[in-house]
């Protein structure tokens, strides 16, 4: 294999014992988001991937019922959280990572290209100098190929841009948490029309992911129930994606995918929570600093996106 990072990821997958990697997933229907808790039974260590803070845009109020369900599960299973992993700065939900970290500990991590997102959206939201654009809101910034572990389970970080410039996938044992690169095979692929997104780059990122062993388990960040399917789903395999993904199955060329993706993206509305989500998530899930009255405010840039 000519890609050394993918070769290293494939080795981790091939050497993993699937029975020794446990995943419990929590679906938030309000944002169609799936949060995953991966744990190592041998050590009791765990990672939380892509958590959700409940948010009502009409009132501006947040709540923690989704995050509290994770906390209850982790305490019930007597797990120790090592990592709070974000696959990217989400545009459809607010991250609950700071709240979870306060309750459970663990290092908050994202890909290093979050700096690009912070610079881009720092300008869009006209953030002042108090907003650091150096990733310091996170405990760890992953680079392509960085090795880490969850307990005794080896892991590696993959940079898979295209949906945004900062998307990461996390290979942990025989599982990969792929964020918004792909959806279930009957639903297809992520949009690529956000600032910094690129359909050509997304195609190449997906082909890298789908060069992993066919048995590799892929865990998704979202599901929207494709027409004809009555249940939500968020786990698939490399083999299922290669044979059946409606946008990116084997044999689809880059040019054909890009043409389809651009045409499809032109018909899509902006995500309902993109403006509040990005402002919070580019800060690692923290709210903007309170103003002199002690209240945090989110901005609504007019005619900008």
């Amino acid at each position: 294999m000519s890609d050394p990072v993918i070769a290293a990821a494939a080795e981790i997958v091939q050497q993993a014992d699937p029975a020794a990697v446990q995943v419990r997933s929590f679906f938030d229907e309000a944002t169609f988001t799936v949060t995953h808790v991966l744990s190592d039974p041998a050590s009791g260590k765990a990672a939380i991937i892509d958590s959700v803070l409940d948010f009502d845009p009409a009132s501006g109020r947040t709540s923690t019922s989704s995050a509290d369900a994770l906390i209850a599960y982790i305490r019930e299973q007597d797990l120790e959280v090592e990592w709070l992993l974000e696959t990217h700065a989400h545009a459809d939900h607010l991250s609950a990572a700071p709240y979870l970290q306060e309750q459970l500990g663990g290092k908050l991590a994202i890909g290093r290209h979050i700096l690009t997102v912070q610079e881009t959206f720092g300008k869009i939201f006209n953030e002042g100098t108090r907003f650091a654009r150096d990733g310091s809101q996170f405990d760890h910034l992953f680079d392509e190929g960085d090795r880490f572990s969850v307990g005794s389970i080896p892991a590696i970080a993959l940079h898979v841009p295209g949906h945004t410039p900062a998307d990461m996938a996390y290979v942990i044992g025989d599982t990969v948490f792929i964020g918004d690169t792909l959806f279930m095979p009957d639903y297809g692929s992520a949009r690529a029309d956000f600032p910094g997104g690129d359909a050509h780059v997304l195609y190449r990122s997906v082909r890298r992911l789908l060069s992993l062993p066919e048995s590799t388990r892929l865990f998704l960040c979202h599901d929207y129930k494709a027409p004809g399917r009555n249940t939500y789903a968020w786990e698939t395999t490399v083999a299922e994606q290669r044979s059946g993904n409606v946008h990116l199955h084997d044999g689809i060329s880059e040019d054909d995918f890009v043409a389809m993706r651009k045409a499809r993206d032109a018909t899509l509305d902006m995500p309902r929570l993109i403006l509040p989500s990005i402002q919070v998530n580019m800060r690692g899930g923290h709210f903007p600093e309170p103003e002199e009255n002690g209240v945090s405010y989110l901005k609504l840039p007019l005619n900008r996106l």
Side-chain angles (χ1 to χ4, degrees), residues 86-110:
E86 300 287 344
T87 56
H88 62 296
H90 308 276
D92 37 38
H93 69 273
L94 280 64
S95 170
Y99 173 71
L100 290 168
Q101 190 174 44
E102 179 181 280
Q103 298 292 317
L104 300 169
K107 291 182 179 180
L108 173 57
I110 199 167

Side-chain angles (χ1 to χ4, degrees), residues 48 59 84 141 160 165 179 212 225 231 272 305:
I48 299 172
S59 66
L84 299 154
L141 301 180
V160 288
L212 290 169
K225 285 197 298 191
T231 57
R272 183 174 65 98
L305 295 176

Side-chain angles (χ1 to χ4, degrees), residues 4 8-9 11-12 83 140 142-143 145-149 154-157:
E11 183 178 6
I12 288 173
W83 293 100
H140 185 81
F142 281 111
D143 289 306
D146 278 356
R147 303 264 193 156
F148 64 108
S149 65
I156 192 169

